[in-house]
Amino acid sequence: MDPLSIMLPRKRRLYAFLLFAAVWSLALSVTRYSIPEEIEVGSVIANLATDLGLDISSLGERNVKLEIIQDINKRYLDINKETGDLFILEKIDREYLCPTKTVSSCFLKMDVIIENPVRIFNVELEILDINDNAPQFRRETMHLDISESASPGERFSITNAVDMDVGKNSIETYYLSQSEHFTIDLQSGSDGTKYVDLVLKKELDREKQAIHNLILTAVDGGDPPRSGTASIVVQILDTNDNAPQFDRQVYSVDLIENASAGTLVMKLNATDKDEGSNAELTYSYTLYTSEKTQEKFSLDSNTGEIRVKGVIDFEEIKSFEMYIEAKDKGQQPLSGQCKILVFITDLNDNHPEITVKSLKRSIEENAAVGTVLAVVSVSDRDSGDNGKVDLTIHDRFNLPFLLNKSSEEYFSLLVSEPLDRERVANYDITFKVKDRGTPSLSDNETIRLEILDVNDNVPQFPESFYTIHVMENNEPGTLLSSLSAHDPDLNENQYLVYFIMEKMIANTSMSMLFSINPENGNLYALKTFDYEREREYLFHIEARDSGVPPLSSNVTVHIIILDQNDNTPQIVSPWSAKGTVIEEVIPRSFEKGSLLTKVIALDADSVQNSRITYQFLQVTDATLFSLNQYNGEVRTTRMFSSRDPRYQRLVITARDNGDPPLSATVTIKITTVEQVVTEFSETTEIPLHYDLFTDLNLYLVIGLGSVSFLLLITILVIIVLKCQKPKPTKPPSNRNSVASQRNSTIADSTLISSDAYWYSLFLAETRKGKVVVRQPLPNGAGYFVSSIPRSMALTTTSESRSSTLQYSK
């Protein structure tokens, strides 16, 4: 191989090494700056282009970059490529960047890298500390427990403050708030850290002051200085250095004799200025207290309560002496003593006595005022005022009794007011006796006096007048009501018997119509009532007790019969025998609105049950006829045509307004004929000319005879009914209804009565005139009037008819 070719690569490697060494030598030179922490963002530190000798105009082209060498997540600095200035991008906190206080200096190291050609500059930025952190204690409040027996000069460790700053900005000294018993002592560590101890400078006394509150302040050396505080709570622990004490050395107590066991004599209250077990006391008798006294009184060792244990009798012992010791529970217990004198007070301890003699346990309520019920004597074994007694009746309810003093120790119990067993059936009479001692003693005794009944109260009904509604058609034996009276007496004086006071109504006794249970006053109906015959009954019922003599009272009963829809409407016009068809012949020349017939039905019921409405049940041609549902008029709604059949059939029903409703029907067969009508020019009545030998006249004579006979029977029935039911009659009312229609041969009939029991009707038709029948209805309830206008004559094909109706219930 050619030696020259071998030398050329070696030279190239040498040149490259020299170039790298030159660049590295430049990189090893370090540029240092110093700034305080916390300076504002955007502040310029230095001009790197000038300090590093770079061309400012080429910084953008050579891609200048700044890289921080330390492992931190913040980018604190940057380079302005236009001016070459190094400026603050984010505030720098020295304590965050260099948390270790042992390092005196804090540097931020970075590399400035420039390309084309590559050059690296080392830059170090020293962060100078400022006094931006105040001293802080780890605990804001520190608690110390110190025994009150601690000696002056004793030291107690406390928690020190911490300051994140360094150098002169760290903690410089401590101060303690003003205290009579405590001070502090400062010490410095090898690293210059200040430590403080709490020192006792004066003896403690827990009984004077149990808690000491101190304030410890830490101050740094900055300018201006900063400080932090903490509270120190010193709790003084007790020692048993105080003996129990009573507020008195000698106590004097008064106690009444016969005080019950458990009575509190007094409660000792010794005090100990110590606390805890050193202040817990126990009480006990000393050896100077006699056994007799200890038998009479008990002492609670924990509470110091002295209570009565035995019987205290003034006559036995008039006073007692007790010696009490209070001892604490300290390790070396201390004690205190006192003396108690108990003086017994004599009492009025004998109760007065009551003796009841000649006692009556019961008395009749009509006993006279002044009646003696008992003799009462009183006594008291005491003497003087303690033996003087007063007797009274414990009168809370104004008792009708009084005491009458008959001698020094005897009293009589008398009736002072009239008695009433119904008001008070028995009395509990309490005698109360009381002596005049101090305090006074009393006694009482109660006797029971029963008041015997006499028959002095009349039976009383709750009401003086009873109105009872009964539906007609009731079953015989139906219970109508219970009419019970009350008698406040007792036994046989309150046993009541009920009677119906006899009264005749229409020759009928009340006992035939009604019955009453003599024991309980239940009133029953003995018959079925008919509203259409009798509507009300008025009678009296008597209640009588069983006393001697018996007392009684009565009450008025008004029975009102209520109507029931039990009567079917009866069609009286046009009348026909049951099941027969009524035939009517009319001319085909009837005009629209002409009256064909008028259906009249009557109902013996009253009010709603007698209100009748009419309607077609069947009709051959509904377009040809109309029916007024209220008055029953049947009229043509149009004229007859040649297509209409000759015969028309109408079935009309008359329905009442009862519940359930009842109805009756009538069938009318209408025959239409061609005829010549001769009308009179006036409607005044003219003499009638009859052909006495025609069949029509013969039928008319027979009809008139039948009507006369029926009228006679009707008058006889009315006379009988009037004799049985003498009631005032209502004034009659007349009402005539005459309807004159052209080409009409039908009568317009009107009935003025809703309470009639029977009716009769006679209609007669002639070719030349009319017959008017005017007949009174029973009971004077009204009149039935039937009139036939003479306005037309039938052709020879028409038939003469006469009809007779008789209806009775």
Side-chain angles (χ1 to χ4, degrees), residues 755-809:
D755 303 323
Y757 293 104
W758 58 272
Y759 332 105
S760 65
L761 175 68
F762 171 72
L763 297 177
E765 294 182 351
T766 64
R767 290 176 296 176
K768 297 181 180 181
K770 67 177 181 179
V771 176
V772 179
V773 179
R774 177 181 177 88
Q775 181 173 322
L777 293 177
N779 296 336
Y783 289 87
F784 180 83
V785 180
S786 176
S787 62
I788 303 175
R790 61 179 176 192
S791 59
M792 59 178 61
L794 299 176
T795 62
T796 56
T797 60
S798 64
E799 298 179 1
S800 298
R801 297 174 307 280
S802 63
S803 61
T804 304
L805 168 65
Q806 182 175 356
Y807 168 75
S808 62
K809 185 174 185 260

Side-chain angles (χ1 to χ4, degrees), residues 123-142:
V123 178
E124 290 183 356
L125 181 62
E126 182 181 9
I127 308 302
L128 302 178
D129 182 49
I130 64 174
N131 192 23
D132 59 343
N133 292 282
Q136 289 184 349
F137 289 90
R138 293 184 180 89
R139 290 184 297 175
E140 293 182 357
T141 302
M142 293 175 281

Side-chain angles (χ1 to χ4, degrees), residues 549-580:
L551 302 176
S552 64
S553 64
N554 61 74
V555 66
T556 302
V557 180
H558 185 202
I559 304 294
I560 298 178
I561 310 301
L562 302 178
D563 183 41
Q564 193 177 42
N565 192 24
D566 57 345
N567 291 281
T568 303
Q570 299 293 328
I571 298 177
V572 299
S573 175
W575 181 88
S576 66
K578 186 175 182 180
T580 61

Side-chain angles (χ1 to χ4, degrees), residues 464-696:
S464 61
F465 189 90
Y466 287 88
T467 300
I468 303 173
H469 295 84
V470 181
M471 186 66 70
E472 67 171 328
N473 301 319
N474 60 291
E475 291 291 336
T478 300
L479 176 64
L480 303 182
S481 181
S482 180
L483 308 176
S484 299
H486 173 68
D487 193 323
D489 292 324
L490 286 180
N491 303 325
E492 66 276 2
N493 295 332
Q494 73 170 169
Y495 296 148
L496 302 181
V497 180
Y498 299 89
F499 306 93
I500 296 178
M501 301 179 69
E502 286 298 337
K503 179 182 179 182
M504 300 296 292
I505 298 180
N507 296 326
T508 302
S509 173
M510 282 293 101
S511 60
M512 301 298 293
L513 300 176
F514 303 97
S515 173
I516 190 167
N517 189 318
E519 295 182 356
N520 57 25
N522 289 343
L523 182 65
Y524 299 91
L526 296 182
K527 60 166 290 185
T528 300
F529 296 110
D530 188 353
Y531 174 84
E532 286 72 31
R533 291 187 178 273
E534 193 67 40
R535 300 187 181 183
E536 61 181 5
Y537 298 92
L538 192 67
F539 55 93
H540 299 281
I541 290 178
E542 178 181 314
R544 181 183 304 163
D545 63 27
S546 302
V548 179
L551 302 176
S552 64
S553 64
N554 61 74
V555 66
T556 302
V557 180
H558 185 202
I559 304 294
I560 298 178
I561 310 301
L562 302 178
D563 183 41
Q564 193 177 42
N565 192 24
D566 57 345
N567 291 281
T568 303
Q570 299 293 328
I571 298 177
V572 299
S573 175
W575 181 88
S576 66
K578 186 175 182 180
T580 61
V581 178
I582 298 174
E583 297 185 0
E584 298 286 351
V585 178
I586 62 173
R588 296 181 66 85
S589 60
F590 255 28
E591 296 182 357
K592 176 181 178 181
S594 299
L595 177 67
L596 293 178
T597 185
K598 181 170 184 176
V599 179
I600 300 176
L602 300 176
D603 195 318
D605 292 321
S606 66
V607 196
Q608 296 293 336
N609 296 330
S610 65
R611 295 183 181 176
I612 298 175
T613 57
Y614 305 88
Q615 61 184 140
F616 283 125
L617 194 60
Q618 294 179 8
V619 59
T620 304
D621 189 348
T623 65
L624 187 57
F625 303 101
S626 66
L627 172 62
N628 190 308
Q629 64 174 340
Y630 298 110
N631 60 23
E633 292 181 351
V634 180
R635 295 180 181 271
T636 57
T637 57
R638 62 179 175 82
M639 295 187 65
F640 289 93
S641 65
S642 59
R643 296 181 180 180
D644 294 327
R646 179 181 180 186
Y647 299 102
Q648 300 286 337
R649 177 183 174 86
L650 305 179
V651 179
I652 300 174
T653 179
R655 184 186 302 268
D656 62 25
N657 199 33
D659 184 18
L662 302 177
S663 62
T665 60
V666 62
T667 303
I668 303 175
K669 179 182 178 182
I670 299 176
T671 303
T672 59
V673 297
E674 300 292 339
Q675 60 182 350
V676 177
V677 180
T678 302
E679 297 184 4
F680 290 96
S681 59
E682 59 182 13
T683 60
T684 57
E685 296 187 9
I686 61 174
L688 302 179
H689 301 281
Y690 299 98
D691 186 357
L692 298 178
F693 298 99
T694 62
D695 293 337
L696 177 61

Side-chain angles (χ1 to χ4, degrees), residues 253-267 285 296-300 304-312 322 342 344 347:
V253 180
D254 292 328
L255 179 66
I256 60 174
E257 70 169 322
N258 299 325
S260 60
T263 300
L264 179 65
V265 178
M266 70 172 299
K267 181 177 181 181
Y285 289 116
K296 298 292 184 180
F297 301 94
S298 65
L299 173 63
D300 191 309
E305 291 182 349
I306 301 175
R307 295 182 179 273
V308 175
K309 184 169 64 172
V311 177
I312 306 300
M322 289 177 279
V342 180
I344 307 304
L347 285 182

